[in-house]
Amino acid sequence: MKNLLWLQGLTCNGNTQSLLNAENPYFYELFSKINLLYHPSLSIENNLAQLIDEIENNRINLDFLVVEGAITKNKNYCRIGEFSIGELIDKLKNKANYIIAVGNCAVHGNFPALYSENNDVFGLQFKFKEKNGFLPANFKTKSGYPIINISGCPVHPAWFAQTLLSLYYDKKILLDKLNRPKEIFMYLPHDGCIRNEYFEWKAEAEEFGTKEGCLFYNLGCRGPITHAPCNKILWNRISSKTRAGMPCVGCTEYDFPTRKNYFETKKNMGIPEEVPFGVSKRAYIMISGVAKTLKNERTSKKLEETD
Ligand code: SF4
C-alpha cells in the first residue's frame, strides 16, 4: 500500500473540510487504497516524531507528501508537535516521491503571505505569481515532478482525488506554467456555466441570486478569466457559485487575495478592464455591440415569462 502524510501550515483547514465531503470517491474509499500515515487534525495518535524518524531512516516509504496551508520561515509559530512546518518540509522534501500543495495558501501563499508582517510566509514553490516560494524554483521530488499545485480556496475534493489517483496509478500528468494539473486547470468556470446564453447576448444580472443573467459585466464574475472546472466538476455534485447566482471570485488564481471589490467589474469607459481569455478587447466590444443591437427575446425576459 502507498503511504501519504498530510501536513498543515497556516491554514483555515478548508481543504481538509472539503476533502471530508468527498463523494467521488468518498474519503474512506480513497484512504482504503492509500495509507494515511498522519494528518494533524484527523489523526488520533500523535506519532509524527516517530514517523519522521522512520521516514528519514528509510524504514517507511513516503509516496505522497500533501501540504495544506502557507509556509512560514518563522520557527516560533505554526508548529506541529516539536517541529515547525518549515523544519518538517525540509526533513521530508527529499524523501517523498510526490509533493502536492493543496489550496491557494500552500500553492501561492494567499492571504497569510499577503498579510505577513515580516515577509516570511510563502507558498511551497511559489509566492503569488513568482517561483519564489519556500522551496527553490528548480526543486524537484524523487519522481522528477516539481511541487504539484492544486489551487483553490478551497480545492474541490475531486480535483485532489483525481490527481492523487493518477499518480497512484503511475499515470503521467501534464502541468501548466503554475505547475497545476492541466486536466483540471485547463477549464474555466465559464465552460459549462448555465448562464452562457446570457453572456453571449450580453443580458446582465443586476443582483445576486437571480436565475437569469450573466454576472460578468456588473457583478465581477471571473468565470471567463479563471482556471478551474467549477461548472464541469460540480460542487456537492449539484451546483457551483454561478449556478447559484454568485459570481466566480477567481479563488484558484495567484492574485485572489490582492484583488479588491470581488463583486464589482472594474471598467474603463464602460469596457471591462479584463476581458475573457483568448478574446481581444476590440473583439469583445464588437461582439457585445452586435449582441446588444440584435437582442435575444428569450434572454431579455424572466425565465418564468418565456414560452
Ligand atoms: S456568470 Fe460568469 S461564468 Fe457564467 S456565463 Fe457569466 S461570466 Fe461566464
Side-chain angles (χ1 to χ4, degrees), residues 92-209:
L92 298 176
K93 66 183 184 222
N94 294 320
K95 293 290 177 185
N97 277 351
Y98 304 99
I99 302 180
I100 305 175
V102 176
N104 199 316
C105 295
V107 174
H108 297 294
N110 203 7
F111 288 102
L114 185 67
Y115 292 114
S116 81
E117 287 178 357
N118 301 318
N119 201 23
D120 58 0
V121 176
F122 305 84
L124 261 181
Q125 205 162 20
F126 282 79
K127 182 156 181 179
F128 304 117
K129 192 183 185 179
E130 304 306 322
K131 232 180 176 185
N132 185 23
F134 181 79
L135 293 171
N138 60 358
F139 174 80
K140 293 205 167 122
T141 52
K142 277 161 58 181
S143 59
Y145 281 94
I147 306 301
I148 296 171
N149 288 330
I150 310 179
S151 191
C153 195
V155 158
H156 190 299
W159 308 348
F160 174 70
Q162 188 177 320
T163 305
L164 183 63
L165 289 174
S166 297
L167 298 171
Y168 176 90
Y169 286 113
D170 297 322
K171 302 287 180 210
K172 192 172 169 353
I173 55 174
L174 295 176
L175 302 178
D176 69 12
K177 59 181 192 267
L178 295 172
N179 292 346
R180 303 175 295 193
K182 276 198 171 175
E183 187 57 35
I184 293 165
F185 290 96
M186 65 187 177
Y187 297 101
L188 315 178
H190 191 60
D191 301 333
C193 178
I194 56 171
R195 295 169 189 270
N196 251 310
E197 191 183 8
Y198 296 96
F199 179 86
E200 284 165 21
W201 291 95
K202 303 296 160 233
E204 301 296 334
E206 302 292 336
E207 54 189 39
F208 305 116

Side-chain angles (χ1 to χ4, degrees), residues 275-285 287:
V275 291
F277 286 151
V279 178
S280 69
K281 256 191 190 157
R282 188 161 167 261
Y284 177 83
I285 295 164
I287 288 170

